[in-house]
Amino acid sequence: MGDSFKRVEKKYLLTEEKVAHFFALLGEHAVLDQYGLHTICNIYYDTAQNDLIRRSIDRPIYKEKFRLRSYGVPDKKSDVFLEIKKKYNGTVYKRRIKLPYQTAMRYLEDGVYPDEYDCQIMKEIDSGMQLYHLQPALFLAYDRMAYYYKEQPDVRFTVDRNIRYRRSDLNLLFGDEGIRLHEEPLALVEMKAPGALPLEMTRLMSENDIFSSSFSKYGRIYKKEKIDDVSEYFE
């Protein structure tokens, strides 16, 4: 039960002009996946002192995030995903379990889930929730286009636009409105591969001055808001 992913991720914060140029370079090698344009909504969970995101910003060798995710704005009958995302020494491990919205909320509010969801992934999520005493911290949404590399379909890249967030109304049922992270038209391109990116793709990016950078949506929001006394983390 549940899904597990292990992959390398590279992130690129680009202007729309740069994104268009990148896709022109890839040409028919970039294939839009079956979902087309869709909105991803998340509730991130953290401690009352924001310990997880503070630690993440400090770029340790190991870090983890917990979130509730939906594809589009759900209703009470929709399926959603409980996820734990770990990063160790540059490799990302994502583990998630799909369950009905009401079942997920019952667990998140009361710490109880039905026996039918008792599996290793659920145990890992529950262990982290209990260890850190996690609570809703941030709503985050963005509009995504996802593609795969024609010659190597397990290599994927996503383009996220209109990244937005809110600190109140931390419920997926309350819509996908929020404060824009960037006023200027920027897009976050993420390359995701089980190993190294295809040589041709990395060559094209290097030759056209498209360079990866460390970027966390949640982390960037945390910095933007200057929560607590984290000035030492500011770039």
Side-chain angles (χ1 to χ4, degrees):
M1 180 182 294
D3 299 312
S4 298
F5 308 90
K6 176 185 175 182
R7 61 198 183 197
V8 174
E9 295 182 353
K10 297 291 186 182
K11 300 182 180 182
Y12 308 81
L13 188 63
L14 306 176
T15 63
E16 288 293 349
E17 181 181 16
K18 204 77 163 181
V19 173
H21 181 54
F22 171 61
F23 277 96
L25 291 169
L26 283 178
E28 63 179 15
H29 299 288
V31 181
L32 184 66
D33 76 4
Q34 60 182 316
Y35 300 107
L37 178 64
H38 57 287
T39 298
I40 296 178
C41 301
N42 308 274
I43 303 291
Y44 279 83
Y45 283 73
D46 209 332
T47 69
Q49 294 75 36
N50 303 292
D51 292 311
L52 295 188
I53 193 57
R54 287 168 65 97
R55 185 183 308 153
S56 177
I57 290 171
D58 209 22
R59 300 180 185 176
I61 192 170
Y62 172 79
K63 57 186 178 181
E64 55 192 343
K65 295 176 183 175
F66 295 80
R67 64 193 179 200
L68 176 67
R69 167 169 288 190
S70 66
Y71 292 87
V73 177
D75 58 36
K76 291 182 178 180
K77 296 181 180 179
S78 300
D79 286 331
V80 294
F81 294 87
L82 279 173
E83 300 185 348
I84 176 172
K85 187 175 183 180
K86 307 177 183 182
K87 188 173 185 179
Y88 176 73
N89 202 23
T91 300
V92 173
Y93 303 84
K94 188 170 82 169
R95 295 165 69 74
R96 70 181 190 176
I97 186 168
K98 182 170 74 171
L99 63 175
Y101 172 83
Q102 291 183 308
T103 301
M105 293 309 300
R106 190 177 309 118
Y107 163 68
L108 291 167
E109 292 171 358
D110 301 330
V112 178
Y113 55 86
D115 290 342
E116 63 189 281
Y117 295 101
D118 188 18
C119 63
Q120 180 60 32
I121 294 177
M122 192 69 216
K123 284 182 169 65
E124 289 181 27
I125 293 171
D126 185 55
S127 177
M129 295 290 292
Q130 301 302 322
L131 174 65
Y132 298 119
H133 305 288
L134 298 180
Q135 60 190 38
L138 177 79
F139 171 86
L140 174 66
Y142 38 90
D143 304 322
R144 168 169 287 182
M145 297 284 283
Y147 304 79
Y148 62 88
Y149 194 64
K150 185 177 181 180
E151 289 77 13
Q152 195 174 335
D154 58 354
V155 174
R156 299 177 58 80
F157 43 104
T158 57
V159 184
D160 296 339
R161 296 180 171 91
N162 191 22
I163 301 170
R164 55 215 187 258
Y165 67 96
R166 61 178 185 255
R167 288 286 185 179
S168 60
D169 297 328
L170 299 181
N171 188 313
L172 294 178
L173 300 183
F174 292 172
D176 64 357
E177 297 302 313
I179 301 167
R180 288 178 62 98
L181 176 56
H182 301 114
E183 291 303 323
E184 61 271 34
L186 297 176
L188 181 65
V189 177
E190 295 187 47
M191 318 295 291
K192 306 172 184 182
L197 294 174
L199 185 60
E200 177 66 14
M201 182 180 291
T202 56
R203 183 187 64 79
L204 282 173
M205 299 179 81
S206 177
E207 289 178 354
N208 289 272
D209 298 323
I210 300 174
F211 302 109
S212 64
S213 60
S214 176
F215 188 97
S216 160
K217 299 181 183 78
Y218 184 10
R220 192 59 60 96
I221 291 165
Y222 189 81
K223 292 179 183 181
K224 177 184 176 184
E225 292 190 333
K226 300 182 181 179
I227 297 175
D228 298 331
D229 55 344
V230 295
S231 59
E232 68 270 25
Y233 295 125
F234 282 32
E235 295 177 349

